Amino acid sequence: MTPAPSPTSIRARVAVVLVGLLVAALPAAPVTASPRTASPSAAEPAARHRPVPAHVLGNQTVPAYSYADAIRESVWVQTSADSDGDGVRDRVAVDLVRPREAAAAGVRVPVIMDASPYYLCCGRGNESELKTYDAAGVIAKAPLFYDNYFVPRGYAFAAVDLAGTARSTGCEDVGGPAEVGSAKAVVDWLNGRARAYTADGRPVSATWSTGQVGMIGKSWDGSVANGVAATGVQGLATIVPISAISSWYDYMRYQGNLRTTDYPGYLHSYVSGRTDEACAQALARLRADSAEETGDYNAFWAQRDYRPSAGRVRASVFVAHGVNDLNVTTNQFARWWQELADQGVPRKLWLYQAGHEDPFDVRRAEWVTALHRWFDFWLQGLRNGVMNEPRVDLETAPGAWTTQRDWPAPGTRDVRVALGDGVTGTLGGRGARPGREQAYVDASLPEAELVAQPNTATAGRLVFLSGALTTPLRISGSPSVRLRVRVDRPTTELTARLVDYGTAERIRYDSSEGVRTLATESCWGASTDVDDACYRDTEEITAVSDHAVLTRGWLDAAHHRSLRFSTPLRPDRWYTVTVPLNAYDAVLPAGHVLGLVLGQSDPDFTETDDQDATVRVDLGRSELILPVAGRAGLPAVDVAPPVVTAPASPSAARTAGDTRQVP
């Protein structure tokens, strides 16, 4: 585990941002942050006598401006791309809501921005809200609560239609340069570095903006925020990626396996705002360049991988993710989080038990408060102590929250766990002798069948069980399985799952992401007749179950050397392969049993034609690598304990073959 950056490096980055806020504000008569918020610098004396704006009270912003009377306007920002090849640079629609009184007083305000492909096609939030416009084509209703809550508190809100969607021109390239560049161009315009126009073609500038921008969004929207931050654009002060992608390859490919066929083309068509043939060539390039026939990581995917550019990130990052998210899997946040840590980027993390959910629908009041304080610090420059608090908020069980210094949990270490003999083997015992083999033949088992009744010999899987835990076991981080295998086909899909066998109340995912919508509602900000700030309340869905899959991993065996190329397997040769599992955080209670289940083709999560292989595993040369927090470990046993589960039900995962989702 890479050490976290030192407090000194974090304080230095924070100081730079706070000083930058003051410098950005100096040319205007008033400033948007109290001079008391800045770190000592040469700029501070010049700002000391400037008036405190009406929306700042002490170390927080307060609702000082009318939401009903806010300025609402729509502009089109010119980007650097011509993604539809029509000889004209793309223009992206930006719908703005900002406080009128602040503009009248000459008070510049920072911007909270949500750039999305979903504003007209599909909706945002739990209630799938769409943008609506007045008769003049100016924004009347913006989805979500960000404008209702923050505009009265001295912020502007920008709802951006990504290139090729809704009212923007260009073609969607699904996480690529045109998409990311279209959102980056808006940050540039807010800092005076790009051009924008009204609907009738008049140039318009953002002189009302401090230039400080915070991007936020769930799923695809949050992925764009990651991508824009990775460009290093000046003026992007913070991002809040929620259930977001940091590598589109890892979203559409699971270690060389296709998640589903024609995924880039499907997503392009799902959100495209173009009804003509203008984007036919762009769509054809997506399909050709993504190399579906090989599953390789190539230049196309490198353009859509933001992690290698973590060193360019200037913004702070507030990550939120559900540990049971099966849409945008947890490796998306975990690997991005680690890259940011390596670069000393100021950051914060919320992890919760739900699946692909916004924390607004998990822990609403606390989330709004956390966002408010985060934006006040990073966009308004208010010293509210948010960076002096524990970095991580973690839901350890339904409704049970705690905080900790960092993630993975401090004190986590990788424990190497041996695999025992037998059809149902053991974890944590003496392990099998090198050369002790066990074979299994691909049976394309749905997950519910794969993990049920682990003591029963079932074709298509191998199961290894720990002894009953004598003390609670905390798993925190990214497990993996190192296997020594021989395969009678050029390749096969290899899968691994960690399972918690034991009765407990858990979040239920049969037809939801672990959250249900209630009949009551609560309000978060000010409202108008056409844009209210009220949303139906939610609650976690829980049920008592006798087991649960914690985390999963996949590998196309021919990609065991590199994701950039395939190495077909020879049937007479042994290979050492590593199957990485998605990041997870859980505490298994005493008395529970940890299971490792190996399978092959996976109809619940992937699509593959490479089926029917026989895999031989050298048990004595294979192991589970488990990130364990604290001193607890697995009991050393030589015989697998008896474990009984309820009959397998397909609701335990997804319907077989339903592998296509939208982020």
Side-chain angles (χ1 to χ4, degrees):
M1 184 176 67
T2 306
S6 69
T8 302
S9 67
I10 293 176
R11 284 195 296 269
R13 293 183 75 119
V14 170
V16 168
V17 170
L18 292 175
V19 171
L21 283 166
L22 282 173
V23 172
L26 283 176
V31 295
T32 61
S34 164
R36 293 171 296 174
T37 66
S39 299
S41 70
E44 187 173 357
R48 181 169 290 128
H49 300 295
R50 295 180 180 274
V52 175
H55 60 269
V56 173
L57 180 62
N59 63 358
Q60 67 177 346
T61 58
V62 295
Y65 308 124
S66 168
Y67 178 71
D69 294 334
I71 297 170
R72 291 170 170 81
E73 56 190 338
S74 302
V75 304
W76 279 259
V77 173
Q78 183 171 282
T79 80
S80 60
D82 175 16
S83 59
D84 55 8
D86 64 356
V88 179
R89 285 196 280 176
D90 301 342
R91 291 187 180 183
V92 291
V94 182
D95 295 312
L96 294 157
V97 186
R98 56 189 177 93
R100 187 177 299 275
E101 300 93 331
V107 174
R108 297 190 297 170
V109 295
V111 179
I112 296 170
M113 171 176 154
D114 187 344
S116 176
Y118 289 131
Y119 280 127
L120 290 186
C121 76
C122 321
R124 303 311 298 130
N126 186 48
E127 299 176 30
S128 300
E129 290 186 307
L130 299 170
K131 286 182 178 179
T132 64
Y133 297 90
D134 64 18
V138 174
I139 186 72
K141 174 183 175 63
L144 306 175
F145 73 98
Y146 304 135
D147 56 326
N148 309 81
Y149 186 86
F150 285 104
V151 168
R153 288 170 167 80
Y155 294 84
F157 177 66
V160 180
D161 297 329
L162 294 174
T165 72
R167 301 201 297 172
S168 296
T169 65
C171 297
E172 242 299 341
D173 63 351
V174 189
E179 175 184 290
V180 171
S182 68
K184 174 183 176 294
V186 180
V187 179
D188 284 331
W189 173 67
L190 291 167
N191 283 272
R193 299 188 300 266
R195 297 178 179 178
Y197 304 89
T198 60
D200 58 5
R202 290 178 290 109
V204 59
S205 59
T207 55
W208 48 266
S209 165
T210 64
Q212 297 296 301
V213 181
M215 292 186 68
I216 188 171
K218 178 194 168 191
S219 203
W220 200 326
D221 305 14
S223 310
V224 176
N226 283 338
V228 175
T231 69
V233 60
Q234 293 185 1
L236 184 61
T238 192
I239 63 172
V240 184
I242 302 165
S243 302
I245 295 165
S246 58
S247 165
W248 284 85
Y249 178 88
D250 285 350
Y251 181 73
M252 300 190 208
R253 307 281 187 269
Y254 289 155
Q255 298 292 307
N257 295 294
L258 296 186
R259 184 169 180 175
T260 191
T261 56
D262 193 30
Y263 217 159
Y266 168 76
L267 291 177
H268 166 94
S269 300
Y270 190 81
V271 301
S272 178
R274 306 296 291 266
T275 58
D276 53 21
E277 293 299 314
C279 292
Q281 290 186 354
L283 179 57
R285 286 195 300 272
L286 283 176
R287 287 172 166 154
D289 295 348
S290 61
E292 183 169 298
E293 69 281 0
T294 68
D296 292 349
Y297 179 101
N298 58 16
F300 173 91
W301 297 109
Q303 286 184 321
R304 292 158 175 80
D305 186 352
Y306 313 133
R307 299 168 192 159
S309 298
R312 303 179 66 183
V313 173
R314 299 169 181 262
S316 63
V317 182
F318 188 170
V319 174
H321 215 106
V323 295
N324 291 296
D325 194 336
L326 302 183
N327 183 337
V328 178
T329 53
T330 52
N331 63 330
Q332 297 286 351
F333 94 80
R335 294 185 61 185
W336 182 231
W337 177 262
Q338 191 58 63
E339 293 289 347
L340 296 172
D342 291 344
Q343 299 298 328
V345 174
R347 64 205 188 285
K348 184 173 177 61
L349 174 65
W350 269 37
L351 285 181
Y352 36 93
Q353 292 289 307
H356 195 61
E357 288 288 349
D358 192 313
F360 184 74
D361 297 315
V362 174
R363 195 188 185 202
R364 184 166 296 181
E366 293 84 355
W367 175 247
V368 174
T369 298
L371 272 187
H372 184 185
R373 297 182 67 234
W374 186 261
F375 284 143
D376 275 1
F377 183 88
W378 288 104
L379 298 182
Q380 301 275 3
L382 300 179
R383 276 186 169 170
N384 54 22
V386 70
M387 296 304 295
N388 300 324
E389 298 167 356
R391 185 172 288 150
V392 179
D393 279 54
L394 174 69
E395 187 181 22
T396 57
W401 287 81
T402 188
T403 60
Q404 60 189 40
R405 286 193 288 114
D406 209 339
W407 191 88
T412 296
R413 70 194 195 284
D414 283 341
V415 175
R416 296 181 176 273
V417 182
L419 308 187
D421 290 346
V423 174
T424 296
T426 57
L427 289 175
R430 290 175 297 179
R433 301 183 310 276
R436 171 76 178 191
E437 299 177 18
Q438 191 62 252
Y440 66 113
V441 180
D442 186 14
S444 196
L445 293 174
E447 180 174 277
E449 296 178 28
L450 187 72
V451 303
Q453 304 295 353
N455 295 116
T456 303
T458 301
R461 73 178 188 184
L462 294 179
V463 181
F464 305 89
L465 300 175
S466 76
L469 300 177
T470 56
T471 59
L473 176 71
R474 170 81 180 276
I475 299 171
S476 183
S478 299
S480 61
V481 183
R482 183 176 175 270
L483 299 173
R484 185 72 172 169
V485 298
R486 193 172 70 186
V487 183
D488 68 347
R489 298 283 191 275
T491 191
T492 187
E493 182 175 359
L494 298 172
T495 67
R497 285 164 170 80
L498 285 182
V499 186
D500 173 13
Y501 290 106
T503 300
E505 184 177 22
R506 299 178 170 97
I507 298 290
R508 197 179 76 206
Y509 301 97
D510 51 359
S511 60
S512 69
E513 294 292 346
V515 171
R516 70 162 58 91
T517 303
L518 305 176
T520 59
E521 66 177 21
S522 54
C523 303
W524 304 88
S527 300
T528 67
D529 291 340
V530 295
D531 191 344
D532 70 78
C534 303
Y535 294 86
R536 292 177 66 185
D537 296 319
T538 56
E539 67 178 5
E540 292 176 323
I541 307 171
T542 63
V544 175
S545 60
D546 54 27
H547 71 286
V549 176
L550 302 177
T551 182
R552 304 156 178 85
W554 304 265
L555 173 70
D556 171 57
H559 282 89
H560 72 279
R561 289 186 179 175
S562 173
L563 295 177
R564 295 181 180 272
F565 56 84
S566 298
T567 306
L569 307 182
R570 290 174 46 175
D572 61 339
R573 185 170 292 183
W574 286 91
Y575 296 87
T576 299
V577 304
T578 298
V579 182
L581 279 71
N582 287 321
Y584 207 73
D585 201 292
V587 177
L588 279 65
H592 283 213
V593 171
L594 179 66
L596 169 65
V597 183
L598 304 181
Q600 294 187 56
S601 57
D602 190 346
D604 285 331
F605 292 91
T606 63
E607 293 186 15
T608 179
D609 294 327
D610 297 313
Q611 298 177 341
D612 303 322
T614 297
V615 175
R616 304 193 71 83
V617 181
D618 184 336
L619 300 174
R621 292 184 172 91
S622 301
E623 62 185 354
L624 167 67
I625 298 140
L626 193 65
V628 175
R631 304 302 305 171
L634 297 179
V637 296
D638 296 322
V639 178
V643 175
V644 178
T645 70
S649 168
S651 66
R654 289 178 291 166
T655 303
D658 179 21
T659 55
R660 178 173 288 168
Q661 298 187 6
V662 294

